[in-house]
């Protein structure tokens, strides 16, 4: 199904095409970088769960379309080698994380994909709670993993390969055809 995408204030809106539990990959990431990103946006309270986890749906960039407010899109990199972390400047809603323009992958952050019918009904259950060594407190997540479990890594790599072969890194809202980010990323720490 096609899912509505929106920042919290509604200035940036779009759609995620052909989304099913099977075509993507729902994970909760507890890594310190995802936590830093939420903190930088001053959105920890509604991005992170009680253990510092971020609920993410991994899919291909070509499935993400923005219809309104694209001029509000901004990009942050925690370090000069870090992921490209996209957000909206209007209300500091995190959009998602990508590698570079050549790789089709995007992990869409739950705040930008508001789902009225229940996230698990539409995206399926969380496949894994990853990087829990960075979690806050004593998480009682089911199927959690200290780092990144092999099963999920293989699953996303297989998908990435299929997306890449199908050219699903393009068209991208975030990268021009030459692979350049559409807005210059702000780099927090030069490494
Ligand atoms: Zn907004
Ligand atoms: Zn993370």
């Amino acid at each position: 199904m096609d899912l509505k995408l929106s920042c919290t204030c509604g200035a940036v809106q779009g759609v995620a095409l052909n989304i099913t539990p099977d075509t993507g990959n729902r994970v909760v990431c507890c890594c310190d970088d995802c936590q830093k990103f939420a903190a930088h946006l001053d959105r920890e309270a509604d991005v992170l769960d009680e253990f510092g986890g971020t609920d993410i749906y991994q899919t291909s960039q070509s499935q993400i379309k923005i219809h309104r407010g694209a001029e509000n899109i901004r990009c942050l990199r925690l370090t000069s080698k870090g992921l490209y972390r996209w957000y909206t400047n209007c209300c500091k809603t995190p959009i998602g994380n990508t590698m570079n323009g050549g790789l089709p992958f995007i992990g869409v952050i739950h705040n930008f994909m508001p789902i009225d019918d229940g996230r698990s009904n539409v995206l399926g259950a969380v496949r894994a709670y990853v990087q829990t060594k960075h979690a806050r407190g004593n998480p009682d997540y089911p199927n959690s993993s200290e780092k990144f479990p092999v099963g999920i890594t293989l699953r996303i790599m297989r998908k990435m390969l299929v997306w890449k072969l199908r050219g699903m890194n393009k068209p991208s809202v975030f990268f021009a055809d030459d692979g350049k980010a559409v807005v210059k990323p702000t780099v927090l720490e030069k490494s």
Side-chain angles (χ1 to χ4, degrees):
M1 71 165 74
D2 296 346
L3 291 182
K4 155 185 103 167
L5 299 172
S6 177
C7 66
T8 306
C9 80
V12 182
Q13 288 186 24
V15 63
L17 302 172
N18 303 319
I19 301 301
T20 68
D22 217 50
T23 48
N25 207 21
R26 183 178 169 209
V27 299
V28 168
C29 186
C30 298
C31 84
D32 47 352
D33 285 351
C34 286
Q35 292 183 37
K36 267 186 218 160
F37 183 41
H40 182 81
L41 299 177
D42 204 14
R43 291 287 298 258
E44 284 178 289
D46 68 336
V47 172
L48 305 180
D49 69 17
E50 59 182 317
F51 304 117
T54 302
D55 197 327
I56 292 170
Y57 178 80
Q58 299 169 327
T59 185
S60 77
Q61 288 184 43
S62 67
Q63 287 164 271
I64 304 296
K65 306 287 177 200
I66 299 295
H67 301 139
R68 204 174 126 180
E71 69 277 8
N72 294 305
I73 293 175
R74 298 288 184 277
C75 184
L76 180 79
R77 305 182 77 183
L78 297 175
T79 68
S80 52
K81 293 200 175 105
L83 291 178
Y84 291 76
R85 294 174 183 270
W86 303 90
Y87 67 96
T88 69
N89 199 35
C90 42
C91 58
K92 311 287 183 202
T93 299
I95 296 173
N97 306 322
T98 65
M99 294 167 194
N100 59 45
L103 291 169
F105 164 96
I106 179 166
V108 182
I109 293 170
H110 69 99
N111 304 74
F112 193 62
M113 191 182 258
I115 299 177
D116 300 333
D117 303 336
R119 207 164 153 79
S120 294
N121 293 335
V122 176
L123 302 179
V126 174
R127 285 181 189 271
Y129 294 80
V130 303
Q131 300 278 8
T132 56
K133 62 178 176 178
H134 297 292
R136 300 171 181 178
N138 292 306
D140 54 1
Y141 293 135
N143 57 27
S144 69
S145 173
E146 288 246 300
K147 293 183 182 158
F148 224 90
V150 177
I152 287 290
T153 307
L154 289 177
R155 188 181 150 84
I156 193 71
M157 282 174 71
R158 267 199 309 273
K159 290 207 175 294
M160 194 112 76
L161 187 66
V162 171
W163 292 334
K164 179 82 184 163
L165 291 174
R166 291 187 188 157
M168 289 169 85
N169 52 319
K170 290 177 193 171
S172 167
V173 171
F174 309 102
F175 296 96
D177 280 350
D178 63 3
K180 260 202 155 146
V182 292
V183 290
K184 194 171 187 301
T186 303
V187 179
L188 275 194
E189 302 163 22
K190 310 279 178 203
S191 62

